[in-house]
Amino acid sequence: MKKIYVLALLFLAFQNVATAQQETIIEEIEIRDVEDVEEMTEIPFSVLDIAPLFPGCENDSSEDKKDCFQQKIFDHISANFIYPEEAKKNNIQGRVFSRFIIDGTGKITNITVRGPHELLENEAKRITALIPNMLEPGQHGGEIVRTLYSIPLTFKL
């Protein structure tokens, strides 16, 4: 009976040590990931070596991927643009600048908009938020980078 009790205590002690080691490893991985994201450089789209890969541009050459990216953005805006009814009623027009970052995983983040009226800004933000995640992030100097991209949206009646 003593042997079973001792074996059970040893088993529990080893299990606790193994669990503690696992938790330590998990914490170290999470810390490294956060540091890598913070250190990632932000580069404007216009100077990238390799553009983020927009879904549908997979078969284009590397030079054509920038053009394809921009065409897909234009197509996305055209397909999703809805002039706000309230803005139509009040004859609200103008240009809204939408800016966002494509992060190191290809996700659209940090959307900011600036324009002459909140109704137009809200529509620009809605359209921008609908942009699909990229299949691959942008690259510059052989490194994955966060890509800055700006879109001017003109609201005209």
Side-chain angles (χ1 to χ4, degrees):
M1 183 70 173
K2 285 184 182 178
K3 288 181 182 178
I4 293 174
Y5 182 70
V6 170
L7 286 174
L9 283 175
L10 285 173
F11 175 75
L12 289 174
F14 283 122
Q15 189 176 18
N16 286 341
V17 168
T19 302
Q21 287 176 344
Q22 250 181 343
E23 288 173 3
T24 302
I25 291 171
I26 291 170
E27 288 176 20
E28 288 176 12
I29 291 171
E30 289 174 355
I31 290 169
R32 270 192 230 125
D33 286 346
V34 170
E35 289 172 357
D36 288 347
V37 169
E38 289 175 359
E39 291 177 11
M40 197 172 288
T41 307
E42 292 179 1
I43 302 289
F45 180 83
S46 60
V47 298
L48 284 176
D49 294 334
I50 300 173
L53 185 57
F54 201 105
C57 296
E58 300 88 347
N59 296 325
D60 291 353
S61 69
S62 61
E63 289 179 14
D64 294 337
K65 284 183 182 164
K66 267 190 176 181
D67 292 336
C68 183
F69 177 94
Q70 291 183 319
Q71 184 61 49
K72 292 287 188 180
I73 290 285
F74 177 77
D75 293 346
H76 170 79
I77 291 168
S78 297
N80 293 285
F81 183 84
I82 301 170
Y83 208 110
E85 285 300 319
E86 187 73 21
K88 283 182 187 178
K89 289 177 188 175
N90 294 308
N91 198 32
I92 299 170
Q93 302 181 73
R95 181 172 282 169
V96 178
F97 293 91
S98 180
R99 182 177 177 216
F100 59 90
I101 293 174
I102 301 168
D103 71 12
T105 65
K107 184 178 177 187
I108 306 299
T109 63
N110 298 31
I111 299 169
T112 59
V113 293
R114 191 177 68 209
H117 195 277
E118 183 179 7
L119 288 170
L120 304 182
E121 288 178 344
N122 289 342
E123 176 59 11
K125 193 167 193 169
R126 184 191 71 80
I127 294 170
T128 304
L130 290 174
I131 295 172
N133 291 335
M134 302 299 114
L135 300 176
E136 295 176 7
Q139 293 183 33
H140 189 72
E143 299 288 326
I144 292 174
V145 294
R146 293 166 43 116
T147 303
L148 297 169
Y149 196 82
S150 295
I151 308 169
L153 301 170
T154 303
F155 291 78
K156 187 170 181 161
L157 295 171

